[in-house]
Amino acid sequence: MAALSKKSLNLGLALSGGGARGIAHLGVYQALLELGKEPDIIAGTSAGALVGSLLCAGRTPEELLELFASKNLFSFIQLKLPSRGLLDLSGLEKTLLELIPYKRIEDLPKPLVVAVSDLKKGRVEYLDEGPLAKLVTASSSIPILFNPIEWEGRMLVDGGLFDNIPVVPIRDRCQTVIAVNASPLSESNSLKNLAEVAVRVFELGAVDRSRDCAPDVLLEPSELAGMPLLDNKQAKKLFRLGYEAAIGVH
């Protein structure tokens, strides 16, 4: 990751994974804009990387809300014969290539750090350079559920495997870090198939690994707990929950 001088930025925003619940990140960002606290850099895992890439490309939270509310999330996903994953996220990479004119992370107008997990090396990597659409897709690829993304000899999956709230890569670069957890844990009564079990196991591990993140402010809207991972039908409610959580930040 390219080095910056310590504390060279004012405000950093760390966005967690959470599937459709990541729409709440847009509400947080909108509130920060209204408060005059626009982040100077975003670090994101999974849904946070997806939302972060679009915001860093210059898209507004409100137009992205309309986009996500109108888009069927399953249009990003293709069923595959079992190999390294049950499903394929190539549709997400294709959509990002269409939505964002910047092909590489380092070309974005606002700095972005994408958290991915390297299966071969068994560690998290924080990337602020490289092919944007491919690496955001990798960051969103829950192991077992989705096919890993191969890049430069690496096998990459969801950054939440090691770091679901990526404060670490921006902690020493920013005066203040606000983190948003879109995956607060709740009891689950929907474990009807292999996909749901895989997601639940991943969520439980991600919660445990996120306990030690140390932002200055942690936003964790409790009402997000239990909301569906791949259902964007409540997009406006998700946006509102994020907005309300952040509007009181001082």
Side-chain angles (χ1 to χ4, degrees), residues 88-129:
D88 183 81
L89 265 182
S90 57
L92 176 58
E93 183 175 353
K94 179 181 177 183
T95 299
L96 286 171
L97 288 169
E98 294 170 352
L99 289 174
I100 299 177
Y102 308 98
K103 302 309 176 190
R104 297 184 61 82
I105 298 175
E106 62 267 32
D107 295 335
L108 289 166
K110 185 187 296 290
L112 173 71
V113 181
V114 175
V116 297
S117 297
D118 188 323
L119 283 182
K120 292 182 178 180
K121 295 180 180 178
R123 69 186 188 193
V124 67
E125 292 197 22
Y126 304 111
L127 304 174
D128 57 9
E129 297 177 338

Side-chain angles (χ1 to χ4, degrees), residues 13 27 31 42 56-57 67 79 90 98-99 101 132 152 179 183 208 213 223 227 243:
L13 186 62
I42 297 176
C56 287
L67 172 68
L79 182 64
S90 57
E98 294 170 352
L99 289 174
L132 177 64
E152 293 190 344
S183 295
D208 185 63
C213 79
E223 285 188 61
M227 296 190 76
Y243 180 88

Side-chain angles (χ1 to χ4, degrees), residues 6-234:
K6 286 199 169 191
K7 309 294 185 183
S8 61
L9 301 172
N10 181 35
L11 178 61
L13 186 62
L15 303 178
S16 78
R21 289 168 291 190
I23 293 171
H25 295 323
L26 296 174
V28 169
Y29 201 87
Q30 179 63 37
L32 293 176
L33 290 179
E34 293 178 13
L35 291 167
K37 299 177 181 293
E38 182 175 355
D40 299 298
I41 187 171
I42 297 176
T45 293
S46 198
L50 171 59
V51 168
S53 68
L54 292 160
L55 291 171
C56 287
R59 306 295 288 267
T60 69
E62 291 177 328
E63 71 174 307
L64 290 175
L65 171 62
E66 294 305 314
L67 172 68
F68 287 128
S70 63
K71 192 87 171 172
N72 184 338
L73 293 184
F74 286 96
S75 64
F76 299 138
I77 299 168
Q78 297 175 349
L79 182 64
K80 287 180 66 70
L81 292 175
S83 54
R84 291 172 175 166
L86 296 173
L87 305 169
D88 183 81
L89 265 182
S90 57
L92 176 58
E93 183 175 353
K94 179 181 177 183
T95 299
L96 286 171
L97 288 169
E98 294 170 352
L99 289 174
I100 299 177
Y102 308 98
K103 302 309 176 190
R104 297 184 61 82
I105 298 175
E106 62 267 32
D107 295 335
L108 289 166
K110 185 187 296 290
L112 173 71
V113 181
V114 175
V116 297
S117 297
D118 188 323
L119 283 182
K120 292 182 178 180
K121 295 180 180 178
R123 69 186 188 193
V124 67
E125 292 197 22
Y126 304 111
L127 304 174
D128 57 9
E129 297 177 338
L132 177 64
K134 182 178 290 294
L135 295 178
V136 169
T137 301
S139 182
S140 305
S141 297
I142 297 173
I144 309 301
L145 186 60
F146 295 118
N147 225 24
I149 301 296
E150 295 189 49
W151 177 63
E152 293 190 344
R154 307 178 211 181
M155 191 176 294
L156 304 178
V157 296
D158 197 308
L161 183 61
F162 293 104
D163 189 354
N164 197 46
I165 310 176
V167 173
V168 169
I170 58 175
R171 174 68 282 177
D172 289 338
R173 299 161 71 171
C174 302
Q175 296 290 335
T176 303
V177 175
I178 296 174
V180 187
N181 181 16
S183 295
L185 190 62
S186 68
E187 183 175 344
S188 177
N189 295 312
S190 178
L191 297 171
K192 300 174 184 176
N193 54 54
L194 179 59
E196 290 181 349
V197 171
V199 169
R200 181 61 174 175
V201 170
F202 186 78
E203 284 181 322
L204 293 173
V207 167
D208 185 63
R209 285 183 292 275
S210 297
R211 296 184 194 279
D212 296 329
C213 79
D216 297 289
V217 178
L218 175 62
L219 303 177
E220 195 172 38
S222 59
E223 285 188 61
L224 291 177
M227 296 190 76
L229 187 76
L230 296 176
D231 185 352
N232 61 333
K233 292 177 182 159
Q234 299 187 69

